[in-house]
Amino acid sequence: EATLDLAERRRIRSAIRELQRQELEWDEEMLASKRFRPERSSHRQDDKENWPQSRRLEEEQQAALAALSEQLEAITSVEELTKLLRAAGEYEERKLIRAAIRKLRAEEIEAATLAGNVQSSR
């Protein structure tokens, strides 16, 4: 609904931004829980001989993805993330990088909105 009160508009916009931020965090948590969910299949029960090797590979992949996630948090440039995205080969890596790009863009939009609010208040 339309409102003429500027303070109320600001509160509404900040609430919307907060909801969007929470939704991004929730999406990232859901992706992480899906990514690290162990595979459950009857084949694994039948093939116990190869189970330790597949378990080790899965743990290595999880460790590599966790390290990539930490590396992505340190990057503050969308251009750098885009270069990493183009160079990434694994689907899970690309998914993490795209999430980091979305998060950075949301932060940039929020910062620009806050800067615009400060300018308008002056």
Side-chain angles (χ1 to χ4, degrees):
E1 305 232 355
T3 180
L4 298 176
D5 185 17
L6 294 179
E8 185 178 355
R9 285 183 182 185
R10 269 189 234 114
R11 284 193 303 272
I12 292 169
R13 282 194 300 267
S14 67
I16 290 171
R17 280 192 303 275
E18 180 63 22
L19 287 172
Q20 289 171 337
R21 185 188 61 76
Q22 289 174 356
E23 185 178 352
L24 277 174
E25 289 176 358
W26 183 79
D27 287 344
E28 289 173 356
E29 289 173 12
M30 291 304 294
L31 286 174
S33 69
K34 288 180 182 177
R35 178 177 50 250
F36 295 117
R37 186 180 303 149
E39 179 182 315
R40 300 192 199 294
S41 68
S42 61
H43 175 69
R44 187 176 258 188
Q45 295 296 328
D46 297 336
D47 192 9
K48 292 184 179 186
E49 183 177 312
N50 292 328
W51 187 76
Q53 181 181 6
S54 66
R55 176 83 172 176
R56 183 179 50 80
L57 291 174
E58 185 177 302
E59 289 173 354
E60 288 174 1
Q61 182 184 19
Q62 289 177 0
L65 290 173
L68 176 64
S69 181
E70 290 177 11
Q71 178 187 1
L72 293 176
E73 289 178 10
I75 297 175
T76 58
S77 168
V78 175
E79 291 80 22
E80 288 180 47
L81 289 172
T82 305
K83 288 178 186 176
L84 281 176
L85 180 62
R86 289 185 180 131
E90 295 289 323
Y91 173 75
E92 297 293 332
E93 291 175 357
R94 292 191 308 267
K95 192 165 47 171
L96 275 176
I97 296 169
R98 284 192 298 270
I101 289 172
R102 283 192 299 274
K103 184 178 176 183
L104 265 181
R105 287 185 177 154
E107 290 172 358
E108 289 174 355
I109 290 171
E110 185 175 340
T113 304
L114 290 175
N117 288 343
V118 168
Q119 283 289 352
S120 65
S121 67
R122 289 182 182 177

